[in-house]
Amino acid sequence: MKPVRLRILLVGATGVVGRCVFRSLQTSHDVISASLDPVQGDHEVQLDLSDADALVRSLNNLGPLDAVISAAGRARFGALADARPASLAASVYGLGLQDKLMGQVNLALAAREVLRPGGSITLTSGTTSTEPVLGGAGLSMVNGALESWVRAAATELPQGWRLNVVSPSLVEGTPAAACAAFPGFELVSAQRVALAYERCLFSGITGQVLRI
C-alpha cells in the first residue's frame, strides 16, 4: 500500500514533460522541483545532471526520499553528415551521452543513498529509441541505451527498490520548432503522460519501459 503522502524529487520539473508530472502529483504529495533554473522557492533545488559530484551532494542534502523522477536530459539533433569521429567531449553526440544518458544513470545511482526501502526511481527516454527521425541518430542512441540499462539494472536493486523508464512521444505543449523534427507524429496528452509516471510510482512494476 502506498504511503498517504510521498516525498518525491522531480528533476526537470520546468520542462514540458516535467510540468505534466508536477501538476498530477503536487496536490497529493510533497514534490521537490529540480531544474537548471535558479531556485525561487522553498521546495526547489538547482541541479545539473551533467555534474556528477554536484548531483551526489544535492541528493545527500535533500535527505530521505520515497521516489525520484527524472523528466530531464539534454541532447542535440544533428544530421549524420555532420558527425565526425571525435572524443566524447568533442563529439556531436557528447551532450546527450553525458547529460541525458549518464546524467540520468548517475541520478539513479546516487538516489540509492537517500531512497527509502520500497522506493521508486523513474527515468525518461523518448520515442526515438524505436521510432527514428532524420537528425535524431544521437537521440536514438541515448534513449535506446538508457532503456537497456534500466531493464538490466532493475534486476540488481536491493531493498525492494524499483526502477523504470517512461518513453514519451511528442507531448502537448512541445514547441513548434521541436515538433517540426517529428513529421507525422501524434501529440500525446498531458494526462496520458502523467498517468505513465503514476503507474511507475504506484503499480509495483520494475525494469519496464512504458511507451506512450
Side-chain angles (χ1 to χ4, degrees):
M1 181 179 297
K2 68 180 181 182
V4 174
R5 197 169 186 90
L6 299 180
R7 189 165 189 259
I8 302 169
L9 173 64
L10 173 58
V11 183
T14 60
V16 174
V17 173
R19 290 196 298 269
C20 298
V21 179
F22 181 79
R23 286 194 296 266
S24 73
L25 298 175
Q26 64 174 329
T27 58
S28 301
H29 305 282
D30 298 323
V31 181
I32 303 164
S33 300
S35 71
L36 290 168
D37 300 331
V39 173
Q40 297 182 349
D42 293 337
H43 297 284
E44 297 180 10
V45 295
Q46 190 173 31
L47 192 149
D48 184 351
L49 287 178
S50 66
D51 188 336
D53 292 337
L55 183 63
V56 171
R57 288 194 300 271
S58 294
L59 263 69
N60 288 340
N61 289 337
L62 287 174
L65 297 167
D66 297 298
V68 173
I69 298 172
S70 173
R74 296 171 293 173
R76 290 193 181 96
F77 269 90
L80 189 66
D82 296 329
R84 296 288 184 271
S87 66
L88 182 60
S91 173
V92 296
Y93 301 135
L95 178 64
L97 291 168
Q98 182 179 13
D99 195 281
K100 186 167 187 180
L101 176 58
M102 285 309 303
Q104 292 195 91
V105 168
N106 286 333
L107 176 67
L109 295 175
R112 297 175 300 177
E113 299 300 317
V114 295
L115 202 62
R116 293 183 174 118
S120 169
I121 303 169
T122 305
L123 308 181
T124 298
S125 59
T127 192
T128 56
S129 61
T130 56
E131 301 291 338
V133 295
L134 293 174
L139 286 150
S140 294
M141 174 172 58
V142 165
N143 290 332
L146 184 64
E147 292 172 7
S148 294
W149 182 82
V150 165
R151 282 190 291 260
T155 66
E156 299 186 48
L157 287 178
Q159 301 193 64
W161 291 331
R162 296 180 298 104
L163 174 64
N164 296 286
V165 59
V166 176
S167 177
S169 187
L170 290 181
V171 182
E172 290 178 345
T174 300
C179 290
F182 293 82
F185 281 69
E186 184 177 358
L187 291 177
V188 178
S189 71
Q191 181 182 22
R192 282 190 62 195
V193 172
L195 286 173
Y197 289 87
E198 289 182 23
R199 183 180 171 195
C200 291
L201 278 174
F202 303 123
S203 70
I205 61 173
T206 191
Q208 299 298 305
V209 179
L210 299 191
R211 305 193 188 282
I212 53 173

